[in-house]
Amino acid sequence: VQLQASGGGLVQAGGSLRLSCAASGVTFSYYAMGWFRQVPGKEREFVSGISRSGGTNIADSVKGRFTISRDNAKSTVYLQMNSLTPEDTAVYYCAARYGRVPYSVSSNQNEYSYWGQGTQVTVSS
């Protein structure tokens, strides 16, 4: 199983980025997906998740600014990030968990079995 994250970069505050995470080696539609982020010296934190059926969960810190979506035909999950602030600067990771329950979304990183390599997002003030 491989998860390949892309789309990170340097953006000014107030700008937007769209992260993508392409999965291979799995039947993508069977998996719930999540995005997490980590700043050096801090624990990795949940950003957003999407169930097999398309239900979503999003952290309060990014609610109203970030949107998660998935395209099962492309085996890809996206994270649209708008109105970025310097506090959003982090390495962003995508993760996959087998979705035994189609509508289940988890914010618990320990429930995710597969992880991508991370993509750096830097927001300048």
Side-chain angles (χ1 to χ4, degrees), residues 50-109:
I50 187 166
S51 70
R52 288 176 55 189
S53 61
T56 63
N57 187 13
I58 192 158
D60 288 341
S61 59
V62 303
K63 194 169 292 183
R65 301 187 297 120
F66 290 13
T67 304
I68 191 171
S69 61
R70 65 188 296 157
D71 185 337
N72 287 345
K74 296 183 178 180
S75 298
T76 300
V77 61
Y78 303 97
L79 185 68
Q80 178 67 45
M81 306 186 296
N82 299 328
S83 302
L84 286 160
T85 74
E87 289 68 38
D88 296 315
T89 295
V91 177
Y92 283 71
Y93 298 91
C94 62
R97 61 185 287 264
Y98 181 72
R100 184 172 291 108
V101 179
Y103 52 82
S104 175
V105 183
S106 176
S107 60
N108 184 347
Q109 60 180 309

Side-chain angles (χ1 to χ4, degrees), residues 35-47 90-95 107-110 112 114-118:
W35 285 99
F36 294 78
R37 66 186 182 185
Q38 188 168 25
V39 175
K42 293 188 176 182
E43 291 190 358
R44 188 160 52 188
E45 66 172 0
F46 172 77
V47 176
V91 177
Y92 283 71
Y93 298 91
C94 62
S107 60
N108 184 347
Q109 60 180 309
N110 294 321
Y112 288 81
Y114 306 106
W115 291 83
Q117 84 288 2

